[in-house]
Amino acid sequence: MIAFIVRRVLQSVFVLLIMSLLVFVGIYAIGNPVDILINPEATQAERAATIVAFGLDKPMWVQYGLFLQSAVAGDLGRSFAYSTPALTLIAQRLPATLELAVVAMLVSILLGVPLGLWAGLRRDGFAGRTIMSLSILGFSLPTFWVGLMLIMLFSVNLGWLPSSGRGQTVEWLGIPLSFLTLDGLKHLVLPALNLSLFNIALVIRLTHSGTQEAMLQDYVKFARAKGLASRRIIGVHVLKNILIPIVTVIALQFGALIAFAIVTESIFAWPGIGKLIIDSIRVLDRPVVVAYLLLTVTLFIVINLIVDVLYSVLDPRVRLSDARG
Amino acid sequence: MSKAIGVFRRWGLAVLVAGGLTAPAWSQDFKVAMSSPPTSMDPHFQNITTNANVIEHMFEPLVMRSPDGKLAPGLAESWSLINNLTWEFKIRRGAKFSDGSLVTAEDVVYSLDRPSNIKNSPASFTQYTKSIVGKKVIDANTVRLTTGAETPLLPDDLVSVIIVSKKATEGLASDDFANGKGMVGSGPYKFVRFLRDDRVELARSEHYNGPNKTPWATTTIRFIANPSTRLAALLAGDVQAIENVPTPDLGRVRNDTNLSLITATSQRMVFMFADWRDKSPFVTDKNGAVLATSPLKDVRVRRALSMAINRDAIRDRVMEGLSETTENLIVPGSPGYVSSMVPPKYDPDAAKKLLAEAGFPNGFGLTVHGPNNRLVNDEKIAQTVAQMFTRIGVDTKVETMPMAVYAPRGAKYEFSVALIAWGGSVDLTSPMRALLACENPAKGMGVVNWAKYCNPKVDELLMKADSMDPLVRSRILREAAGIISKDVALIPLHFQVSAWAVKKGLTYKGRGDERTYAFDFKPM
């Protein structure tokens, strides 16, 4: 297992290196951020001075070398637009995004699993069909549209919930969290629901098919024959068995939730990293874009690793080794 | 102490009761939604409208602008010319920073020096302070500034330079301001809290004694980039006012009895430019081969293109009425504005004739470039103009792109005819120097002259415009404006019109400089 993890980490470093190089070359190819950031009335001399101050006058390979050098020391550079270290900028906004993603994840589990179970058990009933049809909407409706509709319905027409932004926060271990206050929760409901919509549908479908399959298994028949209550059969035996694939998918989806919260964050003016990355791409703020993508890749790598390890723990038949051809 | 608490209780209760009984509990708290958050709270970090829009609630420059664009007292209550190179500024009597300390001439000198000491500024303020070679404190309220050459626009330049407290900001890095350090200004508000990308919370400064007193005890500036969400926040009552009302929703705002729409002509002038080089990359024959000699060099062709554009239709259909067509590069009332200059009449037949005279009776091929996330309806404008060009026989393709791609390409002169805007200038020398002067890096001329226009006569007039006599300046600039128009150096389309929406019962004085000042929203 140790050897497996070590090998994985080495591979990850290689992936990160490639990733940073791709972003570096990509942004370099688009153009010079100073062209966008500087006031158009500034003279050529002022423009040149700004380019030198950002180190953009050096050849690309030198710039990349300097980046690697400080990256090894844990410094991913300072943002051109904010003049703040890129990692600090991301760290400042990460709690908001993580909070949103965690709540969205919880919503999709707490709604998705029971609904999927229900639909799986009553697949020919009215409830089952309705749930399954609605889950198709969850897959197919575009997030930005649903978000706007949620705002129109719950904020503008009904006036129940605030339309956008993050609510009141309280500091916990120095991290500002909003789900601990009533105002914060009110602000969280709509964006979290919007972000979780796809995942609710996904969990419903996974639970639905898992339940249907499991109900035909011998152990369920045996438990029935043994006279166990139906609640215990479903709540313990069936659920336990169908949870393994759901856990895997949900864990992987968590990374996606964080990385792709961008749309929900822009619709709901949620001050998270999605908003930051959009703004940074808009002004070719390379240090922030590179840092963000490296962070996202790291996140996916770590989640993947955890899932693989967890899988081997949950299912003793799985062994951790690299596939060999 | 107990008395104070009693008073607080009584008032607290009164506010609660008022809030519960009357529908709009306005007299205390005000919330406004802006479209872009500031990149920094340091007033000298980046020269960009979105930062100034927030910072100017708490800080003042020496000179400000009134809503109609005229110079007005800021922190300086008056200024005068001592001789052609020396200006004297008088600080407002009793002006205090939000920490209660008096604003002194020392603070002014310190603030004018500060821009050149900011590290890693992506857009430095030194362009406004570099003309000053000497700063002298006369007394606590008076400072004299000496310029190296005659600088008639020094007060205009100083509109952009904020005065900070020397005591509060000495030794601070730009980043520190976001946490509230150094956020001590002489403006109508004092800083309470900045939540990056989300909101800025402000409270009325009791020490402010200037002309822009705010009616609100507390104010929250929310940042909502998505236009639909911004409007939804207003409709839902989360904010009482928004800036930059999205054009597709104008009808809805106009028809809503609970809202009022406020508009003002912006100084942002939207224009097309046509390449002046002998050979231009996107000017082709009808088969797509680049022409050896670009027809765009011929003034008749440029005039034909200008005549082919139906500016009124763009205003009515594309901009939903939110534009003002123009042939001038600057708004009425600015030095160099010529009221008799109007856009050429829309006349496709005459345009075709002009093309034929220039030797292109069948037109030619062209690609128009433009940004798609910078100006109001930029992509739609480019498409509309392209259709209008095609109507006179110039087969036009359109390519729009994000500003991040557009600006670097423009700087490399990769366009033939392109759409862009010039903003925030109230004097013709500003677009002349940057957009139209012959390129001259040593003198800082023609920095964004992406069309490669060069007319020595215009340059000569630009040099002469540095006269301290406003009448002489005005005459010279009007002459220059005439030449620029006759050359069709640029093809001006329109000024944008800024739009604010507020809840009924509130008023706002619309401004041309795209500022949204919370203290200017007043209950009726």
Side-chain angles (χ1 to χ4, degrees), chain A:
Chain A
M1 178 127 130
I2 300 289
F4 170 80
I5 292 175
V6 167
R7 208 156 38 226
R8 262 298 183 81
V9 169
L10 287 179
Q11 283 171 358
S12 309
V13 170
F14 184 68
V15 170
L16 287 174
L17 212 64
I18 298 279
M19 186 73 202
S20 64
L21 188 63
L22 278 178
V23 181
F24 231 84
V25 175
I27 295 188
Y28 188 84
I30 295 175
N32 191 335
V34 175
D35 286 332
I36 308 157
L37 288 168
I38 204 162
N39 185 298
E41 281 184 305
T43 62
Q44 287 92 336
E46 284 160 337
R47 194 172 166 277
T50 310
I51 289 175
V52 171
F54 288 161
L56 295 169
D57 53 328
K58 301 186 181 77
M60 206 209 79
W61 295 109
V62 178
Q63 290 183 40
Y64 186 65
L66 287 172
F67 162 77
L68 281 187
Q69 209 178 334
S70 43
V72 170
D75 174 14
L76 292 183
R78 267 175 188 273
S79 154
F80 299 146
Y82 299 87
S83 179
T84 306
L87 281 177
T88 312
L89 279 175
I90 293 173
Q92 280 172 348
R93 289 159 176 85
L94 203 56
T97 298
L98 279 179
E99 184 174 81
L100 187 62
V102 168
V103 174
M105 204 77 260
L106 287 176
V107 169
S108 44
I109 296 169
L110 294 179
L111 283 179
V113 172
L115 286 175
L117 262 180
W118 193 9
L121 294 173
R122 311 248 146 102
R123 60 175 167 157
D124 295 325
F126 175 73
R129 281 174 190 215
T130 314
I131 291 170
M132 293 319 286
S133 318
L134 285 179
S135 77
I136 294 175
L137 288 183
F139 277 116
S140 49
L141 290 179
T143 326
F144 72 91
W145 184 82
V146 175
L148 285 174
M149 288 305 116
L150 287 175
I151 294 176
M152 285 314 285
L153 181 63
F154 290 103
S155 309
V156 177
N157 290 333
L158 296 172
W160 293 350
L161 294 164
S163 61
S164 57
R166 198 177 184 212
Q168 193 193 346
T169 56
V170 284
E171 297 250 328
W172 182 73
L173 299 179
I175 304 165
L177 295 173
S178 77
F179 70 92
L180 298 173
T181 65
L182 183 64
D183 181 55
L185 275 178
K186 277 186 181 168
H187 280 85
L188 249 174
V189 175
L190 291 185
L193 186 65
N194 190 47
L195 185 59
S196 61
L197 218 57
F198 178 85
N199 284 297
I200 295 176
L202 190 67
V203 173
I204 287 180
R205 301 227 134 221
L206 280 173
T207 319
H208 168 85
S209 57
T211 313
Q212 283 189 340
E213 206 187 309
M215 291 307 281
L216 302 173
Q217 300 277 325
D218 289 344
Y219 70 87
V220 174
K221 288 180 190 153
F222 183 72
R224 282 239 172 86
K226 210 174 132 194
L228 282 183
S230 155
R231 175 183 291 190
R232 187 169 166 81
I233 298 175
I234 295 162
V236 177
H237 299 285
V238 171
L239 202 57
K240 229 183 191 173
N241 277 285
I242 63 173
L243 267 185
I244 294 178
I246 296 178
V247 166
T248 321
V249 171
I250 284 181
L252 286 178
Q253 276 302 110
F254 185 68
L257 272 185
I258 293 173
F260 305 123
I262 294 176
V263 177
T264 297
E265 285 183 6
S266 4
I267 295 290
F268 288 92
W270 190 263
I273 45 175
K275 177 92 180 40
L276 173 71
I277 190 67
I278 290 276
D279 289 345
S280 302
I281 291 173
R282 209 169 268 166
V283 294
L284 300 180
D285 197 346
R286 191 187 63 210
V288 180
V289 179
V290 172
Y292 171 83
L293 287 173
L294 289 183
L295 200 81
T296 312
V297 172
T298 311
L299 196 76
F300 272 94
I301 290 170
V302 169
I303 291 174
N304 259 316
L305 190 64
I306 292 174
V307 168
D308 280 346
V309 172
L310 266 188
Y311 219 68
S312 76
V313 174
L314 284 177
D315 190 340
R317 288 169 301 182
V318 176
R319 264 201 211 137
L320 289 179
S321 65
D322 296 317
R324 297 233 169 106

Side-chain angles (χ1 to χ4, degrees), chain B residues 62-109:
Chain B
L62 285 174
V63 185
M64 287 183 80
R65 281 197 193 285
S66 59
D68 60 2
K70 301 255 180 327
L71 291 181
L75 182 55
E77 58 185 5
S78 66
W79 53 94
S80 55
L81 202 56
I82 304 292
N83 60 48
N84 275 355
L85 294 177
T86 312
W87 296 78
E88 185 172 279
F89 290 84
K90 288 266 185 204
I91 300 169
R92 186 173 65 235
R93 291 276 151 192
K96 282 179 183 169
F97 287 115
S98 56
D99 63 356
S101 60
L102 279 167
V103 182
T104 66
E106 287 287 344
D107 293 309
V108 172
V109 170

